Amino acid sequence: MFRLTSGHRPGIAVATGLTLAASALGLAQPLVAKHVVDSSVRGEVLWPFLLLLSGLFVAEAAAGATGRFLLDRMGEDVIRMVRHGLVSRLLRLEMREADRRRRGDLVSRVTADTTLLRDVVSQALVDLLTGCLVSAGALLLMLWLDPLLLLLVVVTVALAAVVVSTLLKGMRAASEQMQSSVGTIAAELERALGALPVVRVYRAEEREARRIGERVDSAHRSGVRAAKLAAVMSSAVELAVQGSFLLVLVVGGMRVGSGGADSLGDLVAFLLYASYLVMPLSSVFRAIGLIQRGAGAYLRIDEALALPQEPAQEPGPALPGTPPATPRSPAHALELTDIRFAYVPDRPVLRGATFTVPHHGLVALVGRSGAGKSTLFSLIARLYDPDAGSIRFDGRPATALTRRQCRAGIALVDQNTHVLEGTLRENITYAVPDATDDDILRVVRLTRLEHVVRRLPGGLDGRLGDQGGTLSAGERQRVALARALLARPRLLLLDEHTSHLDAVNETALTRTLSDVTRDCAVLVIAHRLSTVRHADRIVVLEDGRTVASGRHDRLLATSAAYRELAATHVLHGRVPENGER
């Protein structure tokens, strides 16, 4: 907590000073009340003391309100900084780390956990400090007024402190479990809502509700346990304070009656200090409990801030088998040499993929599901780094470039066809936010999105809904392609870009790609003969290796692997007869 507030300590000092000033003004009030009582008994003038008492009330309220506002604002500033750091870290996570984390749980750390942490930062720390100081001040004044009565108060409060200390560990554990369960609820709900059509079609609403309900029940149990411990702690403190107040009232009253105390005013002042001790002591114990609950949230936030992220600027390390980092003549837009990669150790996905993509050429990548085609795209886009082998862009090794430099010349249309919540214009211009209307309309025509523009209320500025819910699968695919083409990349990666298109749109898109190759290189993962037959070269992947490459007619004649792909309809479409080759 001290580290989190490092940039806000002057503001904390001012707020703490105001809070202490308000507390000091409050501590002065019983002394003034003592003089009011004693003056009343002696028949002296009361209005100066009453006026002073009113002024102390007003000054205490003003100082306290100002201090509280400064603390709340500081808490919001700190949490804004933490949230910025979390968002920046999560958007730059290494892909391996992002793959194994649940998105809903990560979102919960940015929202629910930071909200709890804000209360700790803005309230608990200062309450703990000021509560301790004010309690110490009240105890000193009570010692000055009557040491014997103070002893009774200290004994009862000490008993409450023993009870509280035994509850803190359990409260922290319950809070950590509750925060973790809340994160799991968010993750499970995100999972179900992300596949809502599947849930509906297979009538799994009750099953998913039970699944999420188990997490809700777990959070409830942890919350109830924390509430039970907090209630016991609060009751212990309240009983201690009230018990000490009653003891002081009974014993002090008996001593005043027997002449053992200095005056009735002393007893009134002591009772006021005993009652004033309630708030600072309560704030101290409440702050301790809040810090224990916030510790669980802070641990989750700290864990997220420590997750590994992609290096921002530095080029990656050279890999085993990588040639020297001297640029070659850029004869190829992309060159892969003996690429090897595994998501999990000892379970390789790629075992030696080697091929090139020439400038202004269309290369199709084919193979069975699981052959490593999409993984190759992830490596080319530098979402992962290969375990061995080399990737070169325009003759320059990827390891000699930063990820941003590698990606600057790449556009990707993956098989998930991500469409973001927002307008059609925002989705198309995602890579080029300052694109002109002429450029936007050019890619709209190229990808045959005119009817979508006409259909949407607002045209290009019409909203597409979450994950493009107002579009068909084929329309989402064309929006993703328009986004890629607008970026004018040197290398265009297309992963099953025609899987949701009808024959008319597929034919038009094939013609578009022929035009695109005049400006850039195109590497496409294809499952349709209509796509690969027009490719300048076809690369066949089998078990993570490139086993053949060439044009369609040559591969049908020379490659058994390619013929098998066509014959088993892994490549969809009519296989040409021998006479048509």
Side-chain angles (χ1 to χ4, degrees):
M1 298 297 104
F2 185 75
R3 178 168 58 85
L4 272 179
T5 56
S6 59
H8 304 271
R9 287 174 192 155
I12 293 176
V14 172
T16 303
L18 287 171
T19 305
L20 288 173
S23 301
L25 292 170
L27 288 174
Q29 292 168 24
L31 295 179
V32 177
K34 170 182 180 300
H35 287 290
V36 170
V37 173
D38 290 340
S39 298
S40 176
V41 171
R42 292 192 295 267
E44 298 174 356
V45 177
L46 299 180
W47 69 264
F49 295 109
L50 294 175
L51 187 62
L52 176 60
L53 193 60
S54 300
L56 290 174
F57 272 121
V58 173
E60 178 190 9
T66 305
R68 177 54 60 195
F69 166 72
L70 292 176
L71 289 174
D72 287 341
R73 188 180 66 178
M74 181 272 299
E76 293 291 347
D77 290 342
V78 169
I79 295 311
R80 180 184 63 177
M81 176 189 68
V82 172
R83 284 173 173 163
H84 277 309
L86 278 171
V87 169
S88 178
R89 172 69 63 163
L90 296 180
L91 289 177
R92 291 172 173 82
L93 280 185
E94 283 188 354
M95 287 304 298
R96 292 179 190 268
E97 192 66 38
D99 289 342
R100 72 184 190 88
R101 296 280 174 174
R102 305 193 68 178
R103 286 177 293 177
D105 181 61
L106 294 177
V107 170
S108 175
R109 300 182 194 223
V110 181
T111 54
D113 291 344
T114 54
T115 299
L116 179 56
L117 190 64
R118 178 194 60 198
D119 296 336
V120 177
V121 171
S122 63
Q123 298 178 23
L125 294 182
V126 175
D127 282 352
L128 189 63
L129 174 63
T130 57
C132 288
L133 292 176
V134 171
S135 298
L139 290 172
L140 287 174
L141 290 171
M142 291 164 73
L143 177 64
W144 172 63
L145 288 171
D146 197 319
L148 178 60
L149 293 180
L150 175 62
L151 180 61
L152 297 176
V153 173
V154 169
V155 170
T156 53
V157 171
L159 292 174
V162 170
V163 173
V164 169
S165 63
T166 60
L167 299 176
L168 291 179
K169 185 176 180 180
M171 180 175 290
R172 177 168 180 167
S175 177
E176 289 180 11
Q177 180 62 40
M178 182 177 65
Q179 291 300 116
S180 178
S181 296
V182 170
T184 306
I185 291 169
E188 293 287 353
L189 189 57
E190 190 269 342
R191 166 186 170 274
L193 292 178
L196 193 57
V198 177
V199 173
R200 295 277 176 83
V201 169
Y202 293 107
R203 306 170 305 284
E205 295 94 338
E206 292 299 326
R207 210 180 329 137
E208 290 295 338
R210 285 195 301 271
R211 181 189 180 97
I212 300 171
E214 290 175 0
R215 306 300 184 183
V216 172
D217 292 341
S218 176
H220 173 263
R221 287 191 295 269
S222 300
V224 168
R225 185 179 175 217
K228 186 189 302 181
L229 295 173
V232 173
M233 186 177 73
S234 177
S235 297
V237 174
E238 185 176 347
L239 287 173
V241 173
Q242 289 182 351
S244 62
F245 187 84
L246 290 174
L247 282 174
V248 168
L249 183 62
V250 173
V251 175
M254 292 172 59
R255 295 178 69 214
V256 169
S258 62
D262 292 337
S263 69
L264 180 60
D266 289 337
L267 178 59
V268 170
F270 194 95
L271 286 171
L272 286 174
Y273 281 125
S275 64
Y276 277 19
L277 196 61
V278 173
M279 289 191 64
L281 277 181
S282 297
S283 68
V284 167
F285 288 120
R286 184 175 62 250
I288 292 173
L290 187 57
I291 288 174
Q292 292 300 313
R293 293 195 297 274
Y298 179 75
L299 288 175
R300 285 167 48 81
I301 291 171
D302 204 40
E303 180 189 23
L305 289 172
L307 293 176
Q309 63 178 358
E310 284 188 346
Q313 296 296 335
E314 292 302 317
L319 299 167
T322 303
T326 54
R328 298 175 181 172
S329 174
H332 304 289
L334 174 69
E335 181 179 352
L336 283 76
T337 305
D338 196 28
I339 297 296
R340 300 173 184 273
F341 177 78
Y343 293 102
V344 180
D346 301 324
R347 294 185 180 180
V349 177
L350 297 171
R351 308 164 186 265
T354 300
F355 63 90
T356 60
V357 179
H359 292 285
H360 314 299
L362 172 61
V363 175
L365 196 59
V366 300
R368 293 183 180 279
S369 178
K373 304 184 297 297
S374 295
T375 298
L376 272 174
F377 270 30
S378 295
L379 295 177
I380 295 168
R382 296 294 303 277
L383 302 180
Y384 304 89
D385 284 325
D387 299 326
S390 69
I391 301 174
R392 287 179 177 265
F393 298 98
D394 294 322
R396 302 181 65 189
T399 52
L401 303 169
T402 65
R403 284 173 169 79
R404 292 184 68 86
Q405 288 172 328
C406 291
R407 293 166 184 163
I410 293 175
L412 170 66
V413 179
D414 66 12
Q415 55 188 318
N416 295 318
T417 58
H418 297 287
V419 174
L420 308 175
E421 199 286 327
T423 67
L424 178 59
R425 183 191 301 273
E426 289 168 345
N427 271 275
I428 293 175
T429 63
Y430 191 74
V432 191
D434 56 350
T436 65
D437 285 346
D438 289 341
D439 287 335
I440 297 172
L441 293 175
R442 177 182 65 85
V443 297
V444 165
R445 286 192 296 269
L446 283 173
T447 54
R448 300 173 66 88
L449 283 171
E450 299 99 321
H451 76 284
V452 176
V453 176
R454 291 193 297 268
R455 190 188 76 218
L456 284 175
L460 280 170
D461 296 310
R463 303 196 72 82
L464 302 183
D466 190 33
Q467 298 180 2
T470 61
L471 303 178
S472 69
E475 290 169 341
R476 288 196 296 270
Q477 210 158 35
R478 280 179 281 148
V479 168
L481 182 60
R483 178 196 303 148
L485 293 177
L486 186 64
R488 297 184 182 273
R490 293 192 301 274
L491 175 63
L492 177 60
L493 306 175
L494 304 175
D495 189 351
E496 300 185 36
H497 62 291
T498 61
S499 58
H500 298 293
L501 299 184
D502 55 38
V504 174
N505 281 309
E506 182 188 354
T507 302
L509 183 56
T510 300
R511 289 197 297 267
T512 297
L513 289 181
S514 298
D515 296 335
V516 168
T517 55
R518 298 172 188 169
D519 301 320
C520 70
V522 179
L523 177 61
V524 54
I525 293 176
H527 282 175
R528 291 186 178 182
L529 279 174
S530 55
T531 301
V532 300
R533 291 182 68 177
H534 297 284
D536 299 314
R537 183 147 47 90
I538 302 166
V539 177
V540 183
L541 271 182
E542 190 174 84
D543 294 330
R545 298 182 180 90
T546 49
V547 296
S549 67
R551 292 185 66 86
H552 170 71
D553 53 356
R554 178 176 175 273
L555 287 175
L556 279 177
T558 62
S559 173
Y562 185 76
R563 285 197 302 272
E564 184 180 356
L565 289 175
T568 56
H569 301 286
V570 173
L571 291 175
H572 305 293
R574 188 171 63 90
V575 180
E577 301 296 337
N578 291 338
E580 296 178 316
R581 293 178 185 172

